[in-house]
């Protein structure tokens, strides 16, 4: 808590605002990249399964309808 108080008193609320904005942009970029990778990986796995004649449906668990 002392670090936060010193940071706010030196940078003011504008400093906090810019820090929050930077963190938001960074985290959103990472989330989008991970989602993109996951979807691409899923499509690639389905294509490989189709080529070898395997199952292409996604298993959602034993209780899924």
């Amino acid at each position: 808590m002392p670090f936060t108080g010193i940071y706010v008193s030196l940078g003011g609320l504008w400093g906090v605002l810019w820090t929050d904005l930077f963190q938001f942009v960074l985290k959103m970029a990472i989330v989008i990249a991970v989602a993109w990778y996951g979807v691409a990986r899923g499509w690639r796995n389905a294509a490989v399964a189709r080529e070898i004649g395997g199952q292409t449906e996604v298993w959602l668990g034993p209780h899924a309808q």
Side-chain angles (χ1 to χ4, degrees), residues 37-51:
Y37 174 78
V39 169
R41 178 84 186 240
W43 281 337
R44 186 170 44 242
N45 288 348
V48 169
R50 266 194 304 278
E51 281 186 29

Side-chain angles (χ1 to χ4, degrees), residues 7 11-24:
Y7 178 77
L13 289 178
W14 279 110
V16 175
L17 176 73
W18 283 110
T19 303
D20 286 347
L21 179 65
F22 171 74
Q23 289 179 2
F24 172 76

Side-chain angles (χ1 to χ4, degrees), residues 3-61:
F3 177 76
T4 306
I6 293 170
Y7 178 77
V8 171
S9 66
L10 291 177
L13 289 178
W14 279 110
V16 175
L17 176 73
W18 283 110
T19 303
D20 286 347
L21 179 65
F22 171 74
Q23 289 179 2
F24 172 76
V25 170
L26 180 66
K27 290 175 185 180
M28 288 304 294
I30 292 171
V31 165
I32 291 169
V34 168
W36 188 290
Y37 174 78
V39 169
R41 178 84 186 240
W43 281 337
R44 186 170 44 242
N45 288 348
V48 169
R50 266 194 304 278
E51 281 186 29
I52 62 174
Q55 180 180 357
T56 59
E57 293 83 22
V58 176
W59 187 69
L60 298 175

